[in-house]
Amino acid sequence: MLIAISINVEAVEGKNFNNFATQYFEKMVATQMPNATEQDLDDYLALLKDDVGHSYLPWVIDDGRYPDGKKTMKKGMEYYLGSHTQFKAKLLNVFTFNNSAVAIRYKKWLYAVHPDNKQPIEYEKTIMEILELEDGKIAVIRKYHE
C-alpha cells in the first residue's frame, strides 16, 4: 500500500528532498500500475523539465537533454501504458546530494505482456535512480539496475 504525499515541486528548492523523492517515487509507480491513465503520466511528467535527459543503463546510454525530452518520454510511456497486468514496488532508500541531486533505490516486480510480440514478461529488480535537479524540477534521470 502506498501513502500519497502531496507537496509543491518548489519544495525541492526549500531542501525538502526526502518528500520530493517520495512524491517522485509514488508518481512513477502510478504510471506502472495496470490501471494507469494518461493523467498518471502527466502527473509524473509535471515533475520533469521539458528538456529532461534520461538514461537507463545499459540499454539507453544517451542522457543528453533535448528540447523535446519530456514529450519523447511521454510518447514512450504511452506505448507501454497498461501493459503491466501486475506491478509492485517498494522504496528502499533516499539519498540526497547537496542542493542538486536526489537518489532513490527501490525494488520492483512486474508481470506484463509486451505490446509488440504479446510475450509475457516477469521480473524483479532493484533499481537506483539519480535525479539531477534544476530550478525545482528534474533535469536528468540516470537509472541503474542490478
Side-chain angles (χ1 to χ4, degrees):
M1 170 184 243
L2 294 175
I3 299 170
I5 295 176
S6 177
I7 64 168
N8 190 325
V9 174
E10 277 68 27
V12 175
E13 294 173 353
K15 300 181 176 138
N16 198 347
F17 296 107
N18 286 327
N19 285 347
F20 181 78
T22 301
Q23 180 187 38
Y24 170 85
F25 175 76
E26 290 175 354
K27 289 184 182 298
M28 181 272 300
V29 166
T31 70
Q32 303 300 302
M33 299 304 283
N35 61 347
T37 65
E38 190 165 340
Q39 184 62 53
D40 292 320
L41 299 183
D42 290 341
D43 291 346
Y44 167 78
L45 293 167
L47 300 173
L48 314 181
K49 294 192 63 85
D50 289 340
D51 65 344
V52 67
H54 183 261
S55 66
Y56 190 3
L57 298 175
W59 303 283
V60 179
I61 59 172
D62 180 7
D63 61 359
R65 293 174 66 183
Y66 302 98
D68 64 346
K70 187 175 359 183
K71 183 178 176 182
T72 301
M73 262 185 92
K74 183 174 183 176
K75 184 177 179 182
M77 293 174 81
E78 285 174 328
Y79 179 75
Y80 289 99
L81 186 65
S83 64
H84 294 162
T85 57
Q86 298 176 50
F87 184 85
K88 296 178 190 174
K90 179 180 180 183
L91 184 61
L92 302 173
N93 308 98
V94 174
F95 308 95
T96 60
F97 304 99
N98 59 44
N99 294 329
S100 62
V102 174
I104 61 171
R105 195 172 72 89
Y106 58 93
K107 185 173 283 270
K108 75 175 185 178
W109 173 84
L110 67 84
Y111 183 85
V113 176
H114 194 280
D116 285 335
N117 60 24
K118 306 301 182 213
Q119 294 298 308
I121 303 165
E122 181 178 11
Y123 66 83
E124 182 176 1
K125 294 185 188 235
T126 300
I127 310 285
M128 177 174 272
E129 293 189 31
I130 310 294
L131 310 172
E132 297 177 12
L133 306 172
E134 181 180 284
D135 301 324
K137 291 198 174 195
I138 298 166
V140 177
I141 301 168
R142 299 179 196 279
K143 193 178 293 188
Y144 308 88
H145 75 88
E146 62 182 0

